[in-house]
Amino acid sequence: MDPIRDENCPRFEDTLELVGRRWTGSVLQAADQGARRFGEYRAMIDGISDRLLSQRLKELEAAGLIERTVIPSTPVQIRYQLAPDGRALVDALLPLAQWSMRRSST
């Protein structure tokens, strides 16, 4: 059996911390379901404040999970979508989400 080394865990722990933040899962799920504009995210995520939604989108963009596109129009439009790593993370989290649903129904 291989020992668990602290130097092997920081990235995994950082990912768990990011995903575990309040509303992060909802933002990723909204992106997965087609939200592109800020208002669409807000409409899909019941109870999230504008400030917190903005913060989560910025964090997910900085982590390379959400792509932000500025469309130079009048007024300027901002679009968000899952980046390839974000898509891979959502796909990886699906079994965990299914597991939690099964546990909550028992």
Side-chain angles (χ1 to χ4, degrees):
M1 188 178 310
D2 291 330
I4 296 173
R5 291 186 171 82
D6 285 344
E7 67 268 11
N8 295 333
C9 294
R11 283 190 168 183
F12 181 65
E13 289 174 357
D14 289 346
T15 300
L16 287 178
E17 181 181 326
L18 175 64
V19 170
R21 288 185 188 135
R22 184 173 171 103
W23 301 110
T24 298
S26 297
V27 173
L28 290 170
Q29 186 177 14
D32 185 46
Q33 292 180 9
R36 295 295 174 258
R37 300 183 71 180
F38 189 88
E40 293 171 346
Y41 281 89
R42 191 176 51 222
M44 291 177 81
I45 305 169
D46 189 36
I48 194 168
S49 69
D50 287 356
R51 181 190 65 75
L52 198 49
L53 175 56
S54 179
Q55 182 178 347
R56 290 298 176 261
L57 286 168
K58 286 176 185 174
E59 290 170 354
L60 291 168
E61 180 186 6
L65 302 175
I66 293 276
E67 294 174 342
R68 180 179 183 263
T69 304
V70 178
I71 300 167
S73 59
T74 305
V76 171
Q77 295 181 40
I78 308 293
R79 302 278 171 124
Y80 302 92
Q81 67 181 24
L82 285 174
D85 279 348
R87 162 63 45 218
L89 178 60
V90 168
D91 291 345
L93 290 173
L94 185 58
L96 181 61
Q98 293 168 338
W99 175 84
S100 66
M101 294 294 285
R102 283 193 307 273
R103 281 188 49 91
S104 68
S105 66
T106 58

